[in-house]
Amino acid sequence: MGFLKVEGLTKVYDNGVVALDNVSFTVERGEFLGVIGLSGSGKSTLLRCVNRLVEPSSGRVILDGIDVTALDVPSLRAERRRIGMVFQHFNLVKRKSVLVNVLTGSLARQGTIASVLGSFSAEDRAKAMQCLEIVGLADRARVRASELSGGQQQRVAIARSLMQGPDLLLADEPVASLDPATSHSVMDHLERANKELGQTILCNLHFLSLVRRYTTRVIALKGGELAFEGRPEEIDEDWFKRIYGEQAREVGIE
Amino acid sequence: MKESETETTKPAAGASDRPTTAVTFAARIERAARGARVRAVLLDFLLVWYAVGGGLFWARWTFNGPAPPWERPESIGSSGHLVLAAVALVLALLWSRSRLSPGRMITWSTHPLLKADAPRPEGGWWRTVHGILVLAILAETVALGWKITEIDLVSLFSSEGLAGAGRIFGALFRPEFGILPLVLEKMIETIYIALVATVVAVPIAFLLSFFGAKNLMSGNRRSLAVYGAVRFSTNLMRSIEPVLWAIIFTVWVSFGPFAGMLALLVHSVASLVKLYSEQVESIDAGPVEAIEATGANRVQMVWYAVVPQIVLPYLGFTIYRWDINVRMATIIGLVGGGGVGELLMQYLGLAKYGEVGMIVVVITAVVWALDYASAKVREAIA
Ligand SMILES: Nc1ncnc2c1ncn2[C@@H]1O[C@H](COP(=O)(O)OP(=O)(O)O)[C@@H](O)[C@H]1O
Ligand SMILES: [Mg+2]
């Protein structure tokens, strides 16, 4: 039981900031878990500790029975193939075409020399085009990534993740730099990955309205500590103030 | 809703429920302060040593005073030096007791953990007695500089001096066109020396630059050691001037264009590694993280996330380097590295200033033309 288990996770950055403080929780396969909290509460650090873009100071992350925190570099690389990631600022390779950006999702399956020469199999190219079709950008495949709008870039990033085909998807405020309409289109794609492909999702979110609309369960961080764990509808005014502070007022996104 | 970088950090010391982290953080500051105190004394010592020693030097010159300790035959390499150093050390130790001594100011205000703790005297540090002492040492440096470089305005403007200037300028403006074919031939040699050096240096520097970029190499101890080795050796190679490299290679492979090319090659690799590596260090880390997160290996990550971000700046640096190399190639000729510089040296030795004038005209024209062309190319790709 427990697809992803986070146990006593603590992160102290080199400058002494305690970004995560003994955080433990469990995620079941197929869940869409929302992670909320103020800016600086440790949400990004939490997601980055799961795939070890940030090295945890102590504690364990166990994915499907494998202790990710104990893996050496080659095994970590292999394990990362199962963990997709989507970022607030998309993090595409801007000077490369949309198609190449999607293909980078499959790099871990490619030989080093073949990928440096840019020779992807016809099969992989076809699959990349399919992923682009899913996010509705097949007609932009040859365009440079930098020429797309923010929402389109995030959809390319999702296509890259589809190409990778992970079991677990980490989304770090995927819509925080997008406008409301675009936000919903991006969130809908995440929802489809969750429902149709069975990807388990951990998603940092700023807006409670998005949390209520898309997630199946929520955890909240406050000053690096786990402050709430439960269903989205359980977050009433009282909890809201406890998570975001007395002064906070909820703003929505339509 | 954008996440800001200056979010409030937790007060580590006040968090009583988190004693371990608070203690380790305070301990780290304590350890940093211990190291900084030693470095501060060292800095103050060097400063005092320089100030006292330089002062003795200057006094001797100006007032014909007693010879400074290092020039007295009986004390060379012995007591005179030791006494001077000991006096400086004692003074430095005294000075470093103040939190406002220059050594302490420098070490504290440049250390990431101690910066917040550095004193900021009201009205500015330069107004304190410590600042005034440092200003006095700067003034001493100016006075010493005047003496040491033997500044002599009389010989610059005497009639004898001006006549010499007239001779050389006159010859330069009446170039000896008869040797133009020879000069052009040698100029082509110079251009090729620069070209080959640049073309061979670029791929070598390209490969090395990834190993010399801290952001790519800070993963573990071993890669950090490689980074340190690359940076150290290229810094060393770069700090040896191309002219010195040329002298080394003329001894190694004997005089001629090959020695000049090797000299430029070594210096170009070292300089390009620095420029390229700094470019790698300033890239957007986002794509790097995204590619790493897919499970791609290091080579794939560099190729897909780093290289696309650096090719254009690399091109700019390379053209710039080619520019410098053409200039350097003429200078290197002066010490036997082949090309038009060698010719220049020969005519200078014979005091044939008309021929020298011809060579200078050709060098100036070629350098100017290449400068113009490369500026245009750099503009086009920017
Ligand atoms: N690389 C880093 N070095 C030092 N401190 C960091 C670093 N990244 C984040 N922090 C600090 O850790 C805390 C948590 O940050 P983060 O995980 O980005 O929170 P969130 O994503 O919830 O805004 C903040 O106080 C932040 O300033
Ligand atoms: Mg964040």
Side-chain angles (χ1 to χ4, degrees):
Chain A
M1 281 298 287
F3 180 58
L4 173 71
K5 281 192 277 191
V6 172
E7 296 176 352
L9 198 63
T10 298
K11 175 63 189 177
V12 184
Y13 281 109
D14 284 341
N15 59 3
V17 173
V18 184
L20 288 178
D21 192 0
N22 198 12
V23 172
S24 304
F25 62 93
T26 301
V27 188
E28 299 303 331
R29 199 184 278 276
E31 275 195 288
F32 194 135
L33 182 83
V35 182
I36 60 173
L38 285 172
S39 272
S41 58
K43 305 183 296 295
S44 300
T45 305
L46 173 65
L47 291 202
R48 285 153 172 277
C49 280
V50 171
N51 63 0
R52 279 175 59 194
L53 283 182
V54 164
E55 221 35 78
S57 305
S58 62
R60 299 201 301 168
V61 172
I62 296 162
L63 178 63
D64 212 6
I66 293 173
D67 185 350
V68 179
T69 38
L71 297 176
D72 61 6
V73 172
S75 328
L76 173 63
R77 238 173 241 148
E79 191 63 16
R80 275 179 177 164
R81 289 168 58 168
R82 303 183 56 193
I83 311 175
M85 191 157 194
V86 175
F87 302 81
Q88 177 181 350
H89 298 295
F90 330 129
N91 292 357
L92 300 182
V93 183
K94 293 211 179 60
R95 303 188 55 85
K96 291 280 185 186
S97 73
V98 166
L99 185 66
V100 167
N101 268 285
V102 177
L103 282 166
T104 57
S106 72
L107 280 179
R109 297 196 294 272
Q110 316 281 352
T112 302
I113 294 175
S115 55
V116 165
L117 294 176
S119 71
F120 295 91
S121 69
E123 209 177 316
D124 281 329
R125 284 173 190 276
K127 184 169 176 214
M129 283 308 293
Q130 271 170 19
C131 296
L132 276 175
E133 245 153 58
I134 292 174
V135 297
L137 287 170
D139 55 328
R140 312 305 303 273
R142 305 257 150 233
V143 172
R144 263 196 197 178
S146 58
E147 286 171 31
L148 301 186
S149 70
Q152 290 174 324
Q153 289 195 32
Q154 194 61 299
R155 278 148 63 198
V156 173
I158 288 172
R160 172 172 68 190
S161 153
L162 291 172
M163 183 77 195
Q164 185 184 341
D167 302 324
L168 172 70
L169 179 62
L170 309 169
D172 191 359
E173 308 209 16
V175 298
S177 22
L178 304 179
D179 58 58
T182 329
S183 292
H184 275 294
S185 120
V186 164
M187 289 303 295
D188 286 341
H189 284 299
L190 293 185
E191 188 171 46
R192 283 180 63 188
N194 176 244
K195 293 220 165 105
E196 294 171 19
L197 303 174
Q199 292 181 7
T200 307
I201 298 189
L202 260 66
C203 184
N204 292 351
L205 284 169
H206 246 94
F207 288 105
L208 271 182
S209 53
L210 290 179
V211 172
R212 295 200 185 96
R213 160 73 183 75
Y214 290 98
T215 68
T216 55
R217 209 157 59 86
V218 191
I219 62 171
L221 292 176
K222 188 175 184 188
E225 291 174 62
L226 198 66
F228 173 87
E229 190 172 1
R231 290 199 315 281
E233 54 272 22
E234 289 171 43
I235 304 176
D236 52 17
E237 192 147 335
D238 203 31
W239 269 114
F240 182 81
K241 286 204 185 313
R242 251 186 270 176
I243 296 167
Y244 289 101
E246 286 298 327
Q247 310 302 321
R249 279 219 342 256
E250 191 179 339
V251 289
I253 180 171
E254 301 319 315
Chain B
M1 287 282 107
K2 251 190 87 157
E3 111 190 289
S4 82
E5 297 299 325
T6 55
E7 291 145 353
T8 47
T9 57
K10 286 183 147 194
S16 53
D17 53 329
R18 214 171 289 108
T20 47
T21 24
V23 166
T24 52
F25 192 51
R28 278 176 40 192
I29 290 199
E30 184 46 44
R31 190 147 19 100
R34 266 203 303 276
R37 256 187 302 258
V38 174
R39 287 196 303 278
V41 171
L42 193 67
L43 277 176
D44 283 332
F45 168 64
L46 291 175
L47 195 63
V48 174
W49 195 11
Y50 165 73
V52 176
L56 287 175
F57 228 133
W58 185 82
R60 139 93 184 286
W61 267 328
T62 310
F63 305 115
N64 273 326
W70 57 85
E71 287 194 4
R72 276 181 232 153
E74 74 276 11
S75 76
I76 281 182
S78 62
S79 53
H81 285 283
L82 288 181
V83 170
L84 177 63
V87 169
L89 184 60
V90 170
L91 289 177
L93 281 169
L94 287 175
W95 202 358
S96 284
R97 290 166 66 95
S98 163
R99 284 176 31 87
L100 290 173
S101 85
R104 301 251 326 220
M105 289 298 282
I106 291 170
T107 42
W108 255 256
S109 57
T110 54
H111 193 288
L113 286 178
L114 305 174
K115 212 185 285 181
D117 203 29
R120 283 183 194 72
E122 252 171 75
W125 183 73
W126 296 108
R127 300 271 188 82
T128 67
V129 64
H130 308 273
I132 290 169
L133 278 172
V134 169
L135 284 178
I137 293 171
L138 288 180
E140 180 189 333
T141 302
V142 172
L144 276 173
W146 188 277
K147 289 280 179 205
I148 289 175
T149 58
E150 299 178 9
I151 289 180
D152 179 5
L153 298 179
V154 175
S155 71
L156 188 58
F157 295 114
S158 71
S159 58
E160 206 176 317
L162 290 177
R167 245 189 346 268
I168 181 102
F169 277 115
L172 291 182
F173 285 117
R174 265 177 278 110
E176 179 54 61
F177 278 94
I179 61 160
L180 186 58
L182 177 61
V183 176
L184 287 180
E185 190 182 307
K186 282 293 186 182
M187 191 71 224
I188 289 170
E189 190 175 305
T190 293
I191 292 174
Y192 267 83
I193 290 172
L195 186 69
V196 174
T198 313
V199 167
V200 178
V202 165
I204 301 175
F206 180 84
L207 275 181
L208 282 176
S209 66
F210 301 109
F211 296 95
K214 196 161 194 181
N215 53 342
L216 299 185
M217 303 297 286
S218 57
N220 58 50
R221 247 167 238 281
R222 194 143 34 104
S223 61
L224 257 182
V226 173
Y227 157 82
V230 169
R231 276 304 183 95
F232 178 79
S233 55
T234 52
N235 278 343
L236 197 72
M237 278 155 64
R238 206 159 36 85
S239 64
I240 299 177
E241 285 294 315
V243 173
L244 286 179
W245 279 116
I247 292 171
I248 292 170
F249 282 115
T250 53
V251 175
W252 189 336
V253 302
S254 94
F255 293 94
F258 185 45
M261 194 280 285
L262 286 175
L264 284 185
L265 174 61
V266 170
H267 199 258
S268 298
V269 167
S271 304
L272 283 176
V273 166
K274 180 184 157 70
L275 289 174
Y276 286 178
S277 299
E278 280 170 3
Q279 192 61 40
V280 173
E281 283 170 359
S282 71
I283 59 167
D284 174 11
V288 174
E289 290 191 323
I291 301 285
E292 267 185 347
T294 66
N297 64 36
R298 303 284 294 175
V299 176
Q300 293 171 323
M301 181 275 282
V302 167
W303 190 254
Y304 278 93
V306 180
V307 171
Q309 295 193 58
I310 55 179
V311 276
L312 270 193
Y314 271 33
L315 261 179
F317 289 142
T318 307
I319 293 169
Y320 176 61
R321 189 65 224 174
W322 147 251
D323 239 31
I324 296 178
N325 278 350
V326 173
R327 260 172 250 241
M328 293 271 191
T330 63
I331 303 288
I332 274 171
L334 299 179
V335 297
V340 74
E342 223 168 51
L343 201 62
L344 180 68
M345 207 56 192
Q346 283 163 16
Y347 284 115
L348 263 179
L350 299 171
K352 291 192 167 176
Y353 294 120
E355 281 80 353
V356 170
M358 185 69 248
I359 296 171
V360 170
V361 167
V362 171
I363 291 176
T364 310
V366 168
V367 167
W368 181 84
L370 287 175
D371 224 32
Y372 181 79
S374 76
K376 282 283 164 217
V377 175
R378 264 183 292 161
E379 247 169 59
I381 62 171

